[in-house]
Amino acid sequence: MTQSNESKFFDLHTTGIGYLNRIREVPVRKGPAFLACTVAALHGSADDVEYSYIDCKVAGAEAQKLVRRCKEAVDAGKKVLVSFKIGDIWTDPFIYQNGDKKGQPGAQLKGRLLFIGRISVDGDEVYRAPERNASSDKADQSDGDGAETSSETATPLSSVA
């Protein structure tokens, strides 16, 4: 019997569209800061849209580059709509410290933003990822954080901001 040292993982990926918010660098006591954002994911009827807010660590070099390109537009109050893939969503319970809900329990969805397929700013598409096929899926590599990076490069349609 041959043993393999290869780790096996079960991925939980959530895909959808949503608005980027709160793009920021998060300092860490030990180690380098990381890029984070909140995605207001859309769901429900188009006539009565609902939002689920997912606080994300941005994983992967391409996703980081794209989110950084969107920061100026988000900070300016523009509507930055993205198609996304978020991995390994989990809940983070907390107790409200201020406001009307002070002392009450709450929970926040968290995950890792792995991939951005499209970006629109105020209704104008500014980025579209290259089409993926079976051969490019096999060429995908991990960036060490489990995020996907493709051997293909995307061509931006125009400047984000």
Side-chain angles (χ1 to χ4, degrees):
M1 177 179 217
T2 306
Q3 280 191 321
S4 171
N5 290 336
E6 185 178 316
S7 297
K8 295 187 181 197
F9 298 92
F10 296 101
D11 294 325
L12 173 62
H13 290 162
T14 302
T15 59
I17 62 170
Y19 292 100
L20 281 183
N21 295 290
R22 295 185 60 228
I23 298 171
R24 65 216 181 268
E25 291 285 335
V26 177
V28 179
R29 280 188 223 160
K30 294 182 180 182
F34 63 88
L35 183 63
C37 66
T38 300
V39 175
L42 284 72
H43 59 93
S45 169
D47 297 337
D48 190 20
V49 175
E50 295 182 48
Y51 299 91
S52 290
Y53 295 88
I54 307 168
D55 197 42
C56 298
K57 176 180 180 180
V58 183
E62 187 68 18
Q64 288 179 15
K65 181 176 83 173
L66 292 169
V67 170
R68 282 191 173 95
R69 281 181 45 197
C70 294
K71 184 170 180 14
E72 187 177 323
V74 169
D75 289 348
K78 295 181 179 180
K79 293 185 182 280
V80 179
L81 183 70
V82 298
S83 66
F84 63 82
K85 182 187 298 183
I86 296 174
D88 303 323
I89 289 180
W90 56 282
T91 56
D92 185 23
F94 64 90
I95 303 294
Y96 284 97
Q97 300 298 314
N98 303 312
D100 295 340
K101 296 182 179 181
K102 184 175 181 175
Q104 295 180 25
Q108 182 176 32
L109 289 174
K110 294 195 172 193
R112 293 181 308 122
L113 180 60
L114 303 173
F115 177 77
I116 295 176
R118 290 186 184 192
I119 302 171
S120 295
V121 177
D122 286 341
D124 296 323
E125 188 175 85
V126 297
Y127 170 83
R128 183 180 308 168
E131 292 295 320
R132 297 172 57 109
N133 58 38
S135 63
S136 70
D137 285 346
K138 290 177 185 174
D140 282 352
Q141 302 166 356
S142 174
D143 70 351
D145 193 20
E148 297 173 4
T149 56
S150 175
S151 57
E152 297 180 45
T153 56
T155 305
L157 300 176
S158 64
S159 174
V160 172

